[in-house]
Amino acid sequence: MNKKSMVLAVSLGLMTATNVAVAQMAQQPAKLNTCIGCHGVDGNSVVPNFPKLAGQHAAYLEKALKDYRDGFRRDESMAAFARGLTDEEIRELAEYYSQQTPR
Ligand code: HEC
């Protein structure tokens, strides 16, 4: 391998590593920051009156969020945070939290 192809190989490797890092970050839903204060970044809330979401079924989380948003389930704090979410954002959040490990 000459010097030029060595440089090429190394930079291709770096590009791949960067893409993997970006892909992992991209898995975090856009609206996650609004939830982590109460439910934790991985859905394991530390305060007992904030339910744990980690590992919960995605379909259940999705329904709960839509119910808060659409007024079928009433809770003042959750209604405030669910209100602005689109169906797509809800699906992403539900998918994300369902994939986290409960502890
Ligand atoms: C201010 C704190 C707070 C924030 C911020 C918050 N939540 Fe909640 N969340 C709660 C509380 C309290 C409950 C329980 C409400 C109840 O009794 O129905 C809850 C309940 C839930 C539930 C239902 C859980 C279950 O087991 O039924 C889901 C799903 C949920 N939150 C998702 C989210 C998501 C997603 C976000 C971000 C968009 C978020 N929450 C932001 C406090 C919060």
Side-chain angles (χ1 to χ4, degrees):
M1 196 184 271
N2 65 26
K3 212 172 174 182
K4 204 170 176 186
S5 52
M6 185 71 180
V7 169
L8 188 67
V10 169
S11 40
L12 278 177
L14 280 176
M15 276 162 63
T16 313
T18 314
N19 284 340
V20 169
V22 168
Q24 279 167 353
M25 276 166 61
Q27 283 173 0
Q28 290 203 342
K31 293 292 167 72
L32 186 66
N33 280 345
T34 52
C35 321
I36 61 182
C38 294
H39 295 289
V41 72
D42 62 352
N44 288 292
S45 47
V46 286
V47 181
N49 50 337
F50 300 146
K52 291 194 178 192
L53 308 178
Q56 189 56 267
H57 294 292
Y60 172 77
L61 294 175
E62 188 172 340
K63 181 180 188 306
L65 284 165
K66 286 182 177 167
D67 284 352
Y68 287 124
R69 182 190 66 185
D70 302 335
F72 297 113
R73 185 170 167 179
R74 283 170 196 272
D75 178 76
E76 265 177 44
S77 22
M78 271 315 299
F81 290 100
R83 194 168 294 138
L85 300 174
T86 65
D87 284 358
E88 181 59 19
E89 286 167 343
I90 285 179
R91 202 191 49 73
E92 282 174 15
L93 288 162
E95 193 67 34
Y96 171 82
Y97 275 129
S98 74
Q99 288 166 0
Q100 307 306 307
T101 310
R103 43 178 172 79

mmCIF file of all heavy atoms in Angstrom, residues 31-39 49-53 56 60-62 64-65 68 73-75 77-78 81-82 85 93-94 97, ligand 1:
data_model
loop_
_atom_site.group_PDB
_atom_site.id
_atom_site.type_symbol
_atom_site.label_atom_id
_atom_site.label_comp_id
_atom_site.label_asym_id
_atom_site.label_seq_id
_atom_site.Cartn_x
_atom_site.Cartn_y
_atom_site.Cartn_z
ATOM 1 N N LYS A 31 -37.520 15.717 20.116
ATOM 2 C CA LYS A 31 -38.155 16.326 21.293
ATOM 3 C C LYS A 31 -37.718 15.699 22.620
ATOM 4 O O LYS A 31 -38.284 16.008 23.662
ATOM 5 C CB LYS A 31 -39.679 16.239 21.154
ATOM 6 C CG LYS A 31 -40.241 17.078 20.025
ATOM 7 C CD LYS A 31 -40.077 18.575 20.317
ATOM 8 C CE LYS A 31 -40.319 19.479 19.137
ATOM 9 N NZ LYS A 31 -41.689 19.591 18.723
ATOM 10 N N LEU A 32 -36.710 14.820 22.559
ATOM 11 C CA LEU A 32 -36.300 14.115 23.786
ATOM 12 C C LEU A 32 -35.909 15.060 24.915
ATOM 13 O O LEU A 32 -36.210 14.803 26.083
ATOM 14 C CB LEU A 32 -35.142 13.159 23.461
ATOM 15 C CG LEU A 32 -34.697 12.248 24.599
ATOM 16 C CD1 LEU A 32 -35.809 11.250 24.937
ATOM 17 C CD2 LEU A 32 -33.436 11.487 24.243
ATOM 18 N N ASN A 33 -35.265 16.167 24.569
ATOM 19 C CA ASN A 33 -34.802 17.115 25.594
ATOM 20 C C ASN A 33 -35.920 17.618 26.491
ATOM 21 O O ASN A 33 -35.684 17.951 27.638
ATOM 22 C CB ASN A 33 -34.112 18.321 24.936
ATOM 23 C CG ASN A 33 -32.689 17.975 24.560
ATOM 24 O OD1 ASN A 33 -32.147 16.973 25.031
ATOM 25 N ND2 ASN A 33 -32.080 18.793 23.721
ATOM 26 N N THR A 34 -37.121 17.676 25.972
ATOM 27 C CA THR A 34 -38.229 18.166 26.788
ATOM 28 C C THR A 34 -38.709 17.129 27.793
ATOM 29 O O THR A 34 -39.467 17.444 28.698
ATOM 30 C CB THR A 34 -39.427 18.599 25.906
ATOM 31 O OG1 THR A 34 -39.740 17.539 25.023
ATOM 32 C CG2 THR A 34 -39.131 19.852 25.124
ATOM 33 N N CYS A 35 -38.287 15.876 27.655
ATOM 34 C CA CYS A 35 -38.790 14.800 28.510
ATOM 35 C C CYS A 35 -37.795 14.379 29.573
ATOM 36 O O CYS A 35 -38.186 13.839 30.618
ATOM 37 C CB CYS A 35 -39.111 13.562 27.679
ATOM 38 S SG CYS A 35 -39.863 13.892 26.077
ATOM 39 N N ILE A 36 -36.494 14.589 29.317
ATOM 40 C CA ILE A 36 -35.477 13.960 30.169
ATOM 41 C C ILE A 36 -35.440 14.525 31.584
ATOM 42 O O ILE A 36 -35.034 13.819 32.500
ATOM 43 C CB ILE A 36 -34.060 14.002 29.524
ATOM 44 C CG1 ILE A 36 -33.600 15.433 29.283
ATOM 45 C CG2 ILE A 36 -34.052 13.233 28.239
ATOM 46 C CD1 ILE A 36 -32.230 15.488 28.604
ATOM 47 N N GLY A 37 -35.890 15.758 31.776
ATOM 48 C CA GLY A 37 -35.906 16.334 33.124
ATOM 49 C C GLY A 37 -36.734 15.499 34.081
ATOM 50 O O GLY A 37 -36.405 15.368 35.259
ATOM 51 N N CYS A 38 -37.789 14.908 33.594
ATOM 52 C CA CYS A 38 -38.666 14.106 34.455
ATOM 53 C C CYS A 38 -38.488 12.600 34.242
ATOM 54 O O CYS A 38 -38.520 11.833 35.186
ATOM 55 C CB CYS A 38 -40.122 14.470 34.212
ATOM 56 S SG CYS A 38 -40.513 16.161 34.714
ATOM 57 N N HIS A 39 -38.339 12.170 32.991
ATOM 58 C CA HIS A 39 -38.304 10.722 32.722
ATOM 59 C C HIS A 39 -36.905 10.184 32.505
ATOM 60 O O HIS A 39 -36.735 8.976 32.326
ATOM 61 C CB HIS A 39 -39.161 10.399 31.485
ATOM 62 C CG HIS A 39 -40.616 10.671 31.686
ATOM 63 N ND1 HIS A 39 -41.428 9.907 32.495
ATOM 64 C CD2 HIS A 39 -41.418 11.660 31.201
ATOM 65 C CE1 HIS A 39 -42.661 10.393 32.482
ATOM 66 N NE2 HIS A 39 -42.678 11.456 31.711
ATOM 67 N N ASN A 49 -42.663 9.785 41.475
ATOM 68 C CA ASN A 49 -43.940 10.163 40.843
ATOM 69 C C ASN A 49 -43.824 10.443 39.343
ATOM 70 O O ASN A 49 -44.808 10.784 38.711
ATOM 71 C CB ASN A 49 -44.629 11.319 41.582
ATOM 72 C CG ASN A 49 -43.711 12.478 41.827
ATOM 73 O OD1 ASN A 49 -42.497 12.297 41.853
ATOM 74 N ND2 ASN A 49 -44.251 13.665 41.981
ATOM 75 N N PHE A 50 -42.644 10.242 38.757
ATOM 76 C CA PHE A 50 -42.497 10.281 37.308
ATOM 77 C C PHE A 50 -42.322 8.848 36.824
ATOM 78 O O PHE A 50 -41.330 8.204 37.140
ATOM 79 C CB PHE A 50 -41.280 11.113 36.879
ATOM 80 C CG PHE A 50 -41.345 12.555 37.331
ATOM 81 C CD1 PHE A 50 -40.189 13.231 37.682
ATOM 82 C CD2 PHE A 50 -42.554 13.224 37.400
ATOM 83 C CE1 PHE A 50 -40.237 14.554 38.099
ATOM 84 C CE2 PHE A 50 -42.616 14.553 37.820
ATOM 85 C CZ PHE A 50 -41.455 15.219 38.171
ATOM 86 N N PRO A 51 -43.289 8.326 36.067
ATOM 87 C CA PRO A 51 -43.206 6.907 35.680
ATOM 88 C C PRO A 51 -41.996 6.580 34.812
ATOM 89 O O PRO A 51 -41.539 7.406 34.028
ATOM 90 C CB PRO A 51 -44.508 6.681 34.903
ATOM 91 C CG PRO A 51 -45.043 8.022 34.567
ATOM 92 C CD PRO A 51 -44.502 8.981 35.563
ATOM 93 N N LYS A 52 -41.496 5.343 34.980
ATOM 94 C CA LYS A 52 -40.410 4.853 34.130
ATOM 95 C C LYS A 52 -40.987 4.479 32.778
ATOM 96 O O LYS A 52 -42.029 3.844 32.697
ATOM 97 C CB LYS A 52 -39.774 3.617 34.762
ATOM 98 C CG LYS A 52 -39.009 3.922 36.022
ATOM 99 C CD LYS A 52 -38.119 2.759 36.420
ATOM 100 C CE LYS A 52 -37.349 3.147 37.669
ATOM 101 N NZ LYS A 52 -36.266 2.228 37.972
ATOM 102 N N LEU A 53 -40.299 4.881 31.728
ATOM 103 C CA LEU A 53 -40.777 4.594 30.367
ATOM 104 C C LEU A 53 -39.908 3.542 29.687
ATOM 105 O O LEU A 53 -40.320 2.944 28.691
ATOM 106 C CB LEU A 53 -40.766 5.879 29.522
ATOM 107 C CG LEU A 53 -41.488 7.101 30.118
ATOM 108 C CD1 LEU A 53 -41.351 8.292 29.182
ATOM 109 C CD2 LEU A 53 -42.950 6.805 30.398
ATOM 110 N N GLN A 56 -40.959 -0.007 28.095
ATOM 111 C CA GLN A 56 -42.420 -0.099 27.978
ATOM 112 C C GLN A 56 -42.770 -0.318 26.497
ATOM 113 O O GLN A 56 -42.045 0.124 25.616
ATOM 114 C CB GLN A 56 -43.029 1.199 28.511
ATOM 115 C CG GLN A 56 -44.529 1.193 28.657
ATOM 116 C CD GLN A 56 -45.054 0.073 29.520
ATOM 117 O OE1 GLN A 56 -45.396 -0.986 28.985
ATOM 118 N NE2 GLN A 56 -45.091 0.278 30.821
ATOM 119 N N TYR A 60 -48.049 1.197 23.673
ATOM 120 C CA TYR A 60 -48.643 1.752 24.891
ATOM 121 C C TYR A 60 -48.185 3.198 25.107
ATOM 122 O O TYR A 60 -49.008 4.074 25.404
ATOM 123 C CB TYR A 60 -48.270 0.888 26.111
ATOM 124 C CG TYR A 60 -48.702 1.529 27.393
ATOM 125 C CD1 TYR A 60 -50.034 1.493 27.804
ATOM 126 C CD2 TYR A 60 -47.787 2.231 28.186
ATOM 127 C CE1 TYR A 60 -50.443 2.123 28.966
ATOM 128 C CE2 TYR A 60 -48.187 2.865 29.344
ATOM 129 C CZ TYR A 60 -49.519 2.804 29.733
ATOM 130 O OH TYR A 60 -49.919 3.440 30.882
ATOM 131 N N LEU A 61 -46.893 3.445 24.946
ATOM 132 C CA LEU A 61 -46.354 4.799 25.127
ATOM 133 C C LEU A 61 -46.987 5.759 24.119
ATOM 134 O O LEU A 61 -47.345 6.891 24.447
ATOM 135 C CB LEU A 61 -44.832 4.798 24.973
ATOM 136 C CG LEU A 61 -44.056 4.018 26.042
ATOM 137 C CD1 LEU A 61 -42.567 3.995 25.702
ATOM 138 C CD2 LEU A 61 -44.272 4.627 27.421
ATOM 139 N N GLU A 62 -47.124 5.272 22.890
ATOM 140 C CA GLU A 62 -47.703 6.097 21.834
ATOM 141 C C GLU A 62 -49.147 6.462 22.176
ATOM 142 O O GLU A 62 -49.561 7.616 22.065
ATOM 143 C CB GLU A 62 -47.641 5.319 20.507
ATOM 144 C CG GLU A 62 -48.033 6.145 19.314
ATOM 145 C CD GLU A 62 -47.769 5.425 17.983
ATOM 146 O OE1 GLU A 62 -46.956 4.477 17.940
ATOM 147 O OE2 GLU A 62 -48.399 5.828 17.000
ATOM 148 N N ALA A 64 -50.525 6.490 25.194
ATOM 149 C CA ALA A 64 -50.552 7.369 26.365
ATOM 150 C C ALA A 64 -50.287 8.818 25.946
ATOM 151 O O ALA A 64 -51.006 9.731 26.371
ATOM 152 C CB ALA A 64 -49.519 6.898 27.388
ATOM 153 N N LEU A 65 -49.281 9.013 25.098
ATOM 154 C CA LEU A 65 -48.932 10.373 24.672
ATOM 155 C C LEU A 65 -50.060 11.025 23.870
ATOM 156 O O LEU A 65 -50.384 12.191 24.075
ATOM 157 C CB LEU A 65 -47.634 10.351 23.857
ATOM 158 C CG LEU A 65 -46.382 10.185 24.723
ATOM 159 C CD1 LEU A 65 -45.179 9.804 23.866
ATOM 160 C CD2 LEU A 65 -46.088 11.462 25.494
ATOM 161 N N TYR A 68 -52.854 12.017 26.283
ATOM 162 C CA TYR A 68 -52.569 13.276 27.001
ATOM 163 C C TYR A 68 -52.782 14.456 26.051
ATOM 164 O O TYR A 68 -53.423 15.435 26.391
ATOM 165 C CB TYR A 68 -51.117 13.338 27.483
ATOM 166 C CG TYR A 68 -50.788 12.446 28.662
ATOM 167 C CD1 TYR A 68 -49.768 11.506 28.571
ATOM 168 C CD2 TYR A 68 -51.452 12.572 29.878
ATOM 169 C CE1 TYR A 68 -49.428 10.704 29.640
ATOM 170 C CE2 TYR A 68 -51.118 11.766 30.954
ATOM 171 C CZ TYR A 68 -50.103 10.831 30.832
ATOM 172 O OH TYR A 68 -49.763 10.040 31.891
ATOM 173 N N ARG A 73 -56.643 11.498 28.447
ATOM 174 C CA ARG A 73 -56.016 11.187 29.725
ATOM 175 C C ARG A 73 -55.559 12.509 30.306
ATOM 176 O O ARG A 73 -54.894 13.290 29.614
ATOM 177 C CB ARG A 73 -54.827 10.237 29.494
ATOM 178 C CG ARG A 73 -54.189 9.780 30.786
ATOM 179 C CD ARG A 73 -53.198 8.665 30.520
ATOM 180 N NE ARG A 73 -52.384 8.444 31.704
ATOM 181 C CZ ARG A 73 -51.437 7.529 31.811
ATOM 182 N NH1 ARG A 73 -51.181 6.727 30.800
ATOM 183 N NH2 ARG A 73 -50.735 7.406 32.921
ATOM 184 N N ARG A 74 -55.915 12.749 31.545
ATOM 185 C CA ARG A 74 -55.682 14.068 32.103
ATOM 186 C C ARG A 74 -54.555 14.091 33.112
ATOM 187 O O ARG A 74 -54.571 13.373 34.097
ATOM 188 C CB ARG A 74 -56.961 14.579 32.768
ATOM 189 C CG ARG A 74 -57.933 15.066 31.744
ATOM 190 C CD ARG A 74 -59.285 15.336 32.356
ATOM 191 N NE ARG A 74 -60.277 15.429 31.294
ATOM 192 C CZ ARG A 74 -60.574 16.551 30.664
ATOM 193 N NH1 ARG A 74 -59.993 17.663 31.002
ATOM 194 N NH2 ARG A 74 -61.466 16.544 29.701
ATOM 195 N N ASP A 75 -53.577 14.893 32.830
ATOM 196 C CA ASP A 75 -52.519 15.193 33.782
ATOM 197 C C ASP A 75 -51.922 16.515 33.329
ATOM 198 O O ASP A 75 -51.517 16.652 32.173
ATOM 199 C CB ASP A 75 -51.449 14.100 33.790
ATOM 200 C CG ASP A 75 -50.327 14.441 34.755
ATOM 201 O OD1 ASP A 75 -50.538 14.298 35.977
ATOM 202 O OD2 ASP A 75 -49.255 14.874 34.297
ATOM 203 N N SER A 77 -49.128 18.279 33.914
ATOM 204 C CA SER A 77 -47.765 18.414 33.390
ATOM 205 C C SER A 77 -47.622 17.687 32.063
ATOM 206 O O SER A 77 -47.055 18.219 31.110
ATOM 207 C CB SER A 77 -46.698 17.953 34.381
ATOM 208 O OG SER A 77 -47.183 17.085 35.331
ATOM 209 N N MET A 78 -48.162 16.460 31.972
ATOM 210 C CA MET A 78 -48.003 15.737 30.707
ATOM 211 C C MET A 78 -48.778 16.395 29.566
ATOM 212 O O MET A 78 -48.310 16.412 28.432
ATOM 213 C CB MET A 78 -48.433 14.277 30.871
ATOM 214 C CG MET A 78 -47.321 13.365 31.313
ATOM 215 S SD MET A 78 -45.785 13.645 30.401
ATOM 216 C CE MET A 78 -46.273 13.292 28.729
ATOM 217 N N PHE A 81 -46.678 19.013 27.993
ATOM 218 C CA PHE A 81 -45.553 18.578 27.162
ATOM 219 C C PHE A 81 -46.007 17.809 25.923
ATOM 220 O O PHE A 81 -45.323 17.792 24.911
ATOM 221 C CB PHE A 81 -44.560 17.756 27.979
ATOM 222 C CG PHE A 81 -43.828 18.608 28.957
ATOM 223 C CD1 PHE A 81 -44.199 18.647 30.294
ATOM 224 C CD2 PHE A 81 -42.803 19.435 28.527
ATOM 225 C CE1 PHE A 81 -43.545 19.481 31.187
ATOM 226 C CE2 PHE A 81 -42.148 20.270 29.411
ATOM 227 C CZ PHE A 81 -42.518 20.294 30.749
ATOM 228 N N ALA A 82 -47.153 17.168 25.998
ATOM 229 C CA ALA A 82 -47.634 16.390 24.856
ATOM 230 C C ALA A 82 -48.340 17.284 23.831
ATOM 231 O O ALA A 82 -48.435 16.926 22.657
ATOM 232 C CB ALA A 82 -48.587 15.292 25.330
ATOM 233 N N LEU A 85 -46.819 18.023 20.311
ATOM 234 C CA LEU A 85 -46.173 16.933 19.561
ATOM 235 C C LEU A 85 -47.010 16.478 18.359
ATOM 236 O O LEU A 85 -48.230 16.348 18.455
ATOM 237 C CB LEU A 85 -45.937 15.732 20.482
ATOM 238 C CG LEU A 85 -45.041 15.966 21.702
ATOM 239 C CD1 LEU A 85 -45.026 14.717 22.586
ATOM 240 C CD2 LEU A 85 -43.622 16.320 21.272
ATOM 241 N N LEU A 93 -40.612 9.151 19.880
ATOM 242 C CA LEU A 93 -40.370 9.115 21.324
ATOM 243 C C LEU A 93 -40.750 7.754 21.906
ATOM 244 O O LEU A 93 -40.012 7.176 22.711
ATOM 245 C CB LEU A 93 -41.162 10.228 22.026
ATOM 246 C CG LEU A 93 -40.635 11.650 21.807
ATOM 247 C CD1 LEU A 93 -41.699 12.684 22.146
ATOM 248 C CD2 LEU A 93 -39.383 11.896 22.655
ATOM 249 N N ALA A 94 -41.905 7.229 21.475
ATOM 250 C CA ALA A 94 -42.381 5.934 21.971
ATOM 251 C C ALA A 94 -41.404 4.829 21.577
ATOM 252 O O ALA A 94 -41.040 3.971 22.385
ATOM 253 C CB ALA A 94 -43.776 5.650 21.419
ATOM 254 N N TYR A 97 -38.024 5.269 23.705
ATOM 255 C CA TYR A 97 -38.105 4.843 25.106
ATOM 256 C C TYR A 97 -38.344 3.334 25.222
ATOM 257 O O TYR A 97 -37.860 2.697 26.149
ATOM 258 C CB TYR A 97 -39.176 5.633 25.855
ATOM 259 C CG TYR A 97 -38.676 6.968 26.393
ATOM 260 C CD1 TYR A 97 -39.354 8.157 26.144
ATOM 261 C CD2 TYR A 97 -37.516 7.039 27.172
ATOM 262 C CE1 TYR A 97 -38.890 9.376 26.641
ATOM 263 C CE2 TYR A 97 -37.052 8.246 27.674
ATOM 264 C CZ TYR A 97 -37.739 9.408 27.404
ATOM 265 O OH TYR A 97 -37.270 10.605 27.904
HETATM 266 C C1 HEC B 1 -42.653 17.974 34.423
HETATM 267 C C2 HEC B 1 -42.337 16.553 34.374
HETATM 268 C C3 HEC B 1 -42.623 15.790 33.097
HETATM 269 C C4 HEC B 1 -42.134 16.040 31.835
HETATM 270 C C5 HEC B 1 -41.206 17.157 31.389
HETATM 271 C C6 HEC B 1 -42.633 14.976 30.990
HETATM 272 N N1 HEC B 1 -43.401 14.105 31.720
HETATM 273 FE FE1 HEC B 1 -44.261 12.392 31.063
HETATM 274 N N2 HEC B 1 -45.141 12.113 32.874
HETATM 275 C C7 HEC B 1 -44.994 12.938 33.968
HETATM 276 C C8 HEC B 1 -45.905 12.511 35.027
HETATM 277 C C9 HEC B 1 -46.067 13.135 36.399
HETATM 278 C C10 HEC B 1 -46.611 11.396 34.501
HETATM 279 C C11 HEC B 1 -47.735 10.599 35.179
HETATM 280 C C12 HEC B 1 -49.018 11.320 34.881
HETATM 281 C C13 HEC B 1 -50.269 10.508 35.193
HETATM 282 O O1 HEC B 1 -50.499 10.209 36.350
HETATM 283 O O2 HEC B 1 -51.005 10.211 34.228
HETATM 284 C C14 HEC B 1 -46.097 11.174 33.155
HETATM 285 C C15 HEC B 1 -46.537 10.155 32.325
HETATM 286 C C16 HEC B 1 -46.008 9.897 31.081
HETATM 287 C C17 HEC B 1 -46.377 8.757 30.251
HETATM 288 C C18 HEC B 1 -47.364 7.652 30.625
HETATM 289 C C19 HEC B 1 -46.592 6.571 31.376
HETATM 290 C C20 HEC B 1 -47.439 5.423 31.821
HETATM 291 O O3 HEC B 1 -46.866 4.447 32.335
HETATM 292 O O4 HEC B 1 -48.665 5.453 31.650
HETATM 293 C C21 HEC B 1 -45.660 8.846 29.108
HETATM 294 C C22 HEC B 1 -45.679 7.886 27.929
HETATM 295 C C23 HEC B 1 -44.843 10.057 29.202
HETATM 296 N N3 HEC B 1 -45.085 10.646 30.417
HETATM 297 C C24 HEC B 1 -43.976 10.484 28.224
HETATM 298 C C25 HEC B 1 -43.351 11.738 28.245
HETATM 299 C C26 HEC B 1 -42.634 12.279 27.114
HETATM 300 C C27 HEC B 1 -42.386 11.548 25.803
HETATM 301 C C28 HEC B 1 -42.221 13.531 27.492
HETATM 302 C C29 HEC B 1 -41.498 14.560 26.629
HETATM 303 C C30 HEC B 1 -42.232 15.003 25.459
HETATM 304 C C31 HEC B 1 -42.644 13.744 28.867
HETATM 305 N N4 HEC B 1 -43.345 12.649 29.266
HETATM 306 C C32 HEC B 1 -42.370 14.863 29.630
HETATM 307 C C33 HEC B 1 -44.108 13.996 34.070
HETATM 308 C C34 HEC B 1 -43.430 14.580 33.015
#
